[in-house]
Amino acid sequence: MENLHVCLINDSFPPTIDGVANAVVNYARVITEKHGSAAVLTPYYPDTDDSRYPFPVLRYPSIDTQKLVGYRAGIPFSAELLKKTEDAHFDIIHSHCPVTSTMLARMLRAQLNLPVVFTYHTKFDVDIAKSLRGRMLQEEAVRLLVQNVSACDEVWTVSRGAGENLCSLGYDGHYTVMPNGVDFPVGRVPDELIAEITADYDLPSGVPVFLFVGRMMWYKGVRITLDALKRLRSAGHDFRMVFVGGGTDKDEIVRYAESLALTDRVFFSPPLQNREHIRAWYCRADLFLFPSTFDTNGLVVREAAACGLGSVLIRGSCAAEDITDGRTGLLIEENAESMAAVLSALCADRAAMRRIGQYAQQEIYLSWDDAVARAYDRYGAVIENYRAGKYPPHERRSDEIFHWISNALDLQNRLKAKYGK
């Protein structure tokens, strides 16, 4: 396959840390290192140094909406950005966010005549319900989301459950499941690093350690975990639990743990930027507790597997799609009683926990190299289909608006080049 130049677009990107930002970083990294070339288009953050990346990062104007949605909102209709993308000579556009990023992708398609691929990572209806008040606003936001997704040339989802969620919002087109990978190698970090990173926490030898890594949000199933740990303590079991991460609900979660009198056994670590430090926590733990029905892929479950750590997951959740109960993970019902029963049975059997972690490492681990290689192969097919006119035309009213915007920005660039203003 020819060396493709891929344009990756997403609303979140470091310094914002979440699963989708991590996916975009790794798409760009693997494409650049092993296949063709890539650049990332993402909103501007003050005092951010992008020189550490082996690929270009093109920032466009943004406003601070971090308290509302956790990251800055981009204002993508920029003449300067349009000029940069024209000069980059991309072959394909890949959006990873269904609202602002995909609006930008559609505008660029109108100007550059390139196919647009979209990946649906997250149950955005949950984020919309949390961010917007009022049913009419929420319904309009979902309508815009579905309209943007439907306007893309090809739609990917990170799991079957993600595809089902997208269809439940009103999307009626075809989608391809294209799972994400993880950037951890298989294996453990040195014991010295584990001891260093975990030294500030009371983790006695021989006592089971449970772990959560991710955004501290109630919809991640955190209440189930805390209530289960309360039951575990009441039953006389000794354990430790560590939550690693930050989020808008973290203060409430900490207070809830305090109200359950769990502060001597449940600890909270701030978010960790260093990936090796995160690996150290996975390597120190005995089980990863992830009772989330919100997540569409559960990258953290495969991260844990890379380190030989098994997970406790909700039966039927997206994160549990590839899990064999009792072998590569443990499946529970969506309640604290079910989790407590599983943890209680395993507290005295750390060997069983290690065995589950070993099977998870062998059977569910997926590297980013393998995941992106599959996606890159599909890019070639998308480009061929687009050039052959196999995708339906995009003549919606909103597409007319994007054509108008792109033409207006192009005119602005031409006038600036001609008159120097």
Side-chain angles (χ1 to χ4, degrees), residues 155-160 175-179 321 374:
V155 175
W156 300 347
T157 67
V158 294
S159 65
R160 296 186 301 276
Y175 64 85
T176 298
V177 176
M178 193 73 70
E321 279 186 9
R374 179 186 173 194

Side-chain angles (χ1 to χ4, degrees), residues 200-219:
D200 293 337
Y201 300 85
D202 174 30
L203 307 176
S205 176
V207 174
V209 175
F210 307 131
L211 180 70
F212 171 93
V213 176
R215 293 170 63 194
M216 297 297 294
M217 311 294 288
W218 284 119
Y219 58 61

